[in-house]
Amino acid sequence: MMVILFRILLLAAILFLVYTMIKIAKDPRRQFTAAVENRSFFFQDNDENPKQNFFITYKGAVFEGEKYIGATEEAFEVVSIIVSAKEPNTLTGIDREDLYFLEKEILIRYPYASIEWKHPMKTLLHRPFEE
């Protein structure tokens, strides 16, 4: 009887450990931190709270987007987004095409939004193409 109880408790402990490891691995903050370290793309957003800012990491740089709600023809949606760099000194290696890629990713999630880039990204986007 004691052996069966011990086995049940051991199985429960193993299941709890596996559940905890999966929960930690799927944590968005952990995924975001890993994406920053790996210099890959990750979009962290809370769809349920339109007032909460979103964060994007790309090529090691972290961007923050402030969302503003407004009326569209159909409903209230996010209609304006202001994007700034959390640490402008990490923007080394980011070019105009990268900003267009990020803009496209934002518009996939918020199709009614107009996007305003803060300095220094705004300067790069408004500079004429050099031939």
Side-chain angles (χ1 to χ4, degrees):
M1 184 69 174
M2 241 2 207
V3 173
I4 294 174
L5 183 60
F6 178 73
R7 286 181 181 171
I8 291 173
L9 287 175
L10 185 61
L11 179 63
I14 291 171
L15 289 175
F16 179 73
L17 185 63
V18 169
Y19 170 78
T20 303
M21 289 171 48
I22 291 171
K23 192 91 166 151
I24 289 171
K26 288 193 167 205
D27 181 24
R29 290 173 294 192
R30 187 178 183 298
Q31 290 177 326
F32 189 82
T33 304
V36 171
E37 291 171 1
N38 295 331
R39 301 180 55 82
S40 60
F41 173 77
F42 190 81
F43 196 104
Q44 181 182 3
D45 190 16
N46 182 356
D47 298 335
E48 297 168 3
N49 186 355
K51 292 183 179 181
Q52 187 176 3
N53 295 352
F54 63 80
F55 295 91
I56 301 173
T57 182
Y58 186 63
K59 292 188 175 180
V62 176
F63 302 91
E64 181 176 8
E66 297 178 42
K67 302 182 279 188
Y68 296 94
I69 307 275
T72 63
E73 291 181 18
E74 306 274 327
F76 287 99
E77 299 282 346
V78 174
V79 295
S80 178
I81 296 174
I82 299 174
V83 182
S84 60
K86 291 293 280 180
E87 296 179 28
N89 60 342
T90 62
L91 293 174
T92 305
I94 301 286
D95 61 21
R96 188 179 300 199
E97 291 302 316
D98 294 328
L99 296 180
Y100 291 148
F101 166 76
L102 294 175
E103 196 167 278
K104 184 184 85 173
E105 290 294 327
I106 294 168
L107 289 172
I108 288 171
R109 291 158 177 87
Y110 300 103
Y112 300 104
S114 64
I115 299 172
E116 178 186 335
W117 294 90
K118 294 299 234 180
H119 180 78
M121 289 87 57
K122 183 177 191 175
T123 308
L124 177 63
L125 289 173
H126 292 299
R127 184 174 295 153
F129 281 106
E130 297 174 6
E131 310 227 8

